[in-house]
Amino acid sequence: MQECRPRGWAAGGEDCPSQRENEDGKDTMKIANPVCIVILVLACATLTGAAEAGYSRFSKQRDLMREGERLENIGRYKRAAKAYRKSGLYAIDNRTRGTLLAREADCYANAGKPYDAFAAYERLLESYPLYVEYEKVIPRLRQLAGQFERGDNALFGMGNKTKAIKVYELILQETPLGQGGMQDSINLGNLLAEVDSGLEAVEVYRDALRRFPRDEKAPGVRLALGRLLVDQSRNGDGDGQIARQATRELQSFVEDRPDDPART
């Protein structure tokens, strides 16, 4: 058995294994410490860079939003809308994105750009429904529908009933039982009938009567529905089912409004 001697005990003597292990460990630690320091330095640098990038993004978003507010306050609505849109690209949360998109839409509407405004409102309702102020957005959409129907700000004042239909469909999709829903349904049904989409109009009127059976406008909807069914029955009604449906609706109208001049 070889004798284990302290380091340097005699010439040719060997160190104990534990001594060699300790020395190896010290050497490893001497090597590892600088490596750890480098890793820590790099990690700190990365975190610092990320923090600076985050602040830079927030600062950019804030500056663009303030520019949008400045332009909006002086009536430069189209440029304000573009500033709000750019600001939204730097936003870091959905609430801010939704708020900026709503401001963009409002500015386009104020600038007399109904198509751009509708596109922005549509994105807002689709992407950020939790942050939509419906009591403000729905009246704006109704205004846009009227503008499309009348042809406001359009070339030669030509209306776009197809676009108005899309607006009313969006309104009823988002707030099917909301205040004003019956009138929205009437407007949609009337537009569909005007563009020769009678079958779709019939379904809109029927759906409105199911959702708002006690609404004061319900008898008028029954009259419009009955007349539309009469027209459809004339174009082909093999077993007379459509004609019977028309009769029921017209009779209901007469019972509800016996003195209404429209009954004749």
Side-chain angles (χ1 to χ4, degrees), residues 24-204:
D24 291 342
K26 291 178 181 179
D27 292 340
T28 302
M29 291 182 61
K30 290 177 181 178
I31 296 173
N33 286 340
V35 173
C36 292
I37 292 172
V38 171
I39 293 174
L40 289 173
V41 170
L42 291 174
C44 290
T46 301
L47 291 173
T48 301
E52 291 177 350
Y55 177 78
S56 176
R57 180 172 180 172
F58 169 77
S59 178
K60 188 72 173 178
Q61 180 264 309
R62 180 192 58 193
D63 292 344
L64 285 167
M65 183 182 69
R66 289 176 177 174
E67 176 66 6
E69 291 172 344
R70 184 187 71 81
L71 291 166
E72 185 178 5
N73 289 334
I74 62 176
R76 305 294 295 274
Y77 296 114
K78 186 176 179 180
R79 290 182 59 187
K82 292 181 178 179
Y84 286 135
R85 184 168 191 174
K86 291 179 181 178
S87 179
L89 297 176
Y90 293 94
I92 60 175
D93 62 274
N94 285 340
R95 181 183 294 276
T96 303
R97 294 188 187 101
T99 299
L100 292 169
L101 187 52
R103 290 189 176 185
E104 176 190 341
D106 289 343
C107 284
Y108 275 129
N110 292 332
K113 297 290 183 180
Y115 288 90
D116 294 321
F118 178 62
Y121 284 127
E122 199 170 25
R123 292 199 309 273
L124 173 65
L125 290 166
E126 179 181 351
S127 302
Y128 309 106
L130 296 178
Y131 308 106
V132 175
E133 296 183 81
Y134 287 93
E135 69 280 4
K136 294 181 180 179
V137 172
I138 298 302
R140 281 285 198 172
L141 287 172
R142 290 178 179 136
Q143 292 176 3
L144 292 178
Q147 291 176 7
F148 287 132
E149 184 178 1
R150 295 187 301 269
D152 297 353
N153 302 310
L155 185 64
F156 305 119
M158 296 180 63
N160 188 338
K161 292 181 180 180
T162 301
K163 199 71 173 179
I165 287 171
K166 289 184 178 180
V167 178
Y168 282 120
E169 287 176 340
L170 179 62
I171 292 172
L172 291 170
Q173 173 187 308
E174 296 296 328
T175 56
L177 297 174
Q179 185 176 6
M182 175 59 98
Q183 187 60 54
D184 293 329
S185 298
I186 294 172
N187 294 340
L188 176 57
N190 293 345
L191 285 167
L192 287 168
E194 290 173 11
V195 298
D196 296 326
S197 296
L199 293 176
E200 290 87 343
V202 166
E203 291 306 314
V204 168

